[in-house]
Structures are given as structure tokens and as C-alpha cells.
Amino acid sequence: MLFTQSDYYEYEFLKLKATAKRFSDIEFEQCQFIECDFSRSQFSNCRFIDCEFINCNLSDLSWNYSSLEEVDFKGCKLNSIVWGQVNWPQLALTAPVSFKDCELSHGSFFELSLKTLTMKDCFAKDVDFRHANLAKSQFIGTDFRDSVFHQTNLSNANFVGATQFNIDIKNNDVSGAKFERFEALNLLAGLDIELVD
């Protein structure tokens, strides 16, 4: 049986296979999860503090009021996740999670406040970012094809190297945000203007 204890400190979990399982009321602190498969599983009221997920499959995972505090995801599959299910810290000044080289497609960050979020070199197709506060976030090198931004706070965000985004500058706050010159043409799509060379 997996996770027989109610708390784990400085554990390394390697190649665990736990698809469509349910875990509840467990605390993980400074733990590493490497090449684990938790797809379609559920973590209920669990707590992850200063943890790292590396090359894991977490697609269709339900967080079910679990809390994530300083958690890094690297090379993970995180498709079809509703991030609003996470019990986010109320007064966090910076995002308590970061993503690098991850797949985040078909997920939802609807209405979340995750300032200074890092989403670097990710594939984020068809993700719902409506009404989210993502000010000062780092979106370097991320592919946002078919993702939805509406009344999203993207002020001072860094989109250098990001591609395929469709951000209506009339309905989103992009003040102080950084874009590459060529990709910034995407921002003009909603203005009903004609661009000529």
C-alpha cells in the first residue's frame, strides 16, 4: 500500500505507479517525486511543502483542497487539471508553484491570483486564464495555442519567446508586459485593423 504514513519529510519517491487512486490527509515536506504516475488520481486535503515533481504524469489529477507551497514541476504532464481545486495560501505575494518544460493543456487557472508565476518552455494548449491575476509572471518560451485570456492581469509579465497567444489588449491588462517584436503582432488581432508590409 502506498503512503502508509500521514507525513513524509525529505523522502524521494521514484517511479511510483498510482493511477486512479485516492490519497487524503497526508503532508509531504521537501519531498521529490521522480517519474511517478498519478494520472486520474486524487489528493484530498494533502499538503505539499517545498516539493519537486520531475518527469511525472499528473494528467487528470484532482487536487481536492490540497495545498501547494513552493512546489516545482519539471518535465511533467499536467493536462486537464482544474487548478482552482487547490487550497492556495490566502496572502501569498508570489506564486507558490512553478512549471518548467511541462504540458499544461486543457487546464484551468480561472480567477486565480498567482502573481510571479513561472511557466517556462511549457506547452499550454487550450488553457483557461480568464479573470486570473498573473502580474509579473514569466511565460518565457511557452506555447499558448487556443488558450483563453479575458480580463486577465498580465501587467509586467514576460512573454519573450512565448508563441501562439491570442490576447485582446482591450480586454486584458498588458501594461509593462514584455513581448518579442514579431510575436507582438498577435496582440493587434482584436483591433479590427489591417496590417500591410
Side-chain angles (χ1 to χ4, degrees):
M1 189 173 147
L2 281 174
F3 305 138
T4 50
Q5 300 166 215
S6 61
D7 55 271
Y8 292 87
Y9 180 69
E10 289 189 339
Y11 267 71
E12 182 184 281
F13 299 100
L14 184 63
K15 297 188 176 178
L16 290 184
K17 188 159 175 57
T19 56
K21 299 274 192 281
R22 185 169 186 265
F23 308 103
S24 55
D25 305 300
I26 309 168
E27 184 169 299
F28 300 92
E29 186 171 358
Q30 292 183 26
C31 292
Q32 267 194 331
F33 299 85
I34 302 167
E35 294 179 27
C36 297
D37 186 352
F38 291 115
S39 57
R40 303 191 320 281
S41 286
Q42 186 179 94
F43 283 102
S44 294
N45 298 303
C46 294
R47 195 170 175 203
F48 295 85
I49 306 159
D50 201 14
C51 291
E52 205 174 25
F53 288 84
I54 301 167
N55 299 331
C56 293
N57 185 356
L58 305 166
S59 290
D60 293 299
L61 179 79
S62 170
W63 290 110
N64 209 10
Y65 299 107
S66 291
S67 63
L68 303 175
E69 302 160 48
E70 305 310 316
V71 176
D72 294 328
F73 297 94
K74 296 171 182 170
C76 293
K77 285 185 181 173
L78 296 151
N79 298 313
S80 305
I81 289 180
V82 178
W83 294 94
Q85 293 177 341
V86 173
N87 181 13
W88 298 106
Q90 289 301 304
L91 296 168
L93 297 174
T94 59
V97 290
S98 74
F99 306 100
K100 188 169 187 284
D101 297 314
C102 291
E103 285 181 34
L104 293 152
S105 297
H106 315 297
S108 174
F109 290 85
F110 180 70
E111 288 189 339
L112 292 182
S113 182
L114 291 171
K115 293 181 188 172
T116 72
L117 177 68
T118 297
M119 193 179 283
K120 191 176 177 198
D121 299 323
C122 293
F123 185 66
K125 175 185 163 73
D126 183 34
V127 179
D128 186 352
F129 293 104
R130 290 174 302 149
H131 302 278
N133 185 350
L134 304 170
K136 299 182 179 169
S137 291
Q138 298 288 327
F139 296 126
I140 297 164
T142 291
D143 183 333
F144 287 105
R145 72 186 64 193
D146 304 325
S147 287
V148 184
F149 296 88
H150 182 73
Q151 293 184 357
T152 309
N153 184 349
L154 300 166
S155 59
N156 299 299
N158 187 348
F159 281 89
V160 172
T163 58
Q164 308 275 346
F165 48 82
N166 183 3
I167 299 168
D168 185 338
I169 57 178
K170 292 181 293 187
N171 288 317
N172 296 283
D173 182 355
V174 292
S175 55
K178 258 192 227 172
F179 296 92
E180 280 181 6
R181 205 176 295 273
F182 179 72
E183 289 294 337
L185 292 174
N186 290 333
L187 299 174
L188 304 177
L191 292 181
D192 194 28
I193 58 175
E194 186 182 344
L195 295 174
V196 291
D197 286 330

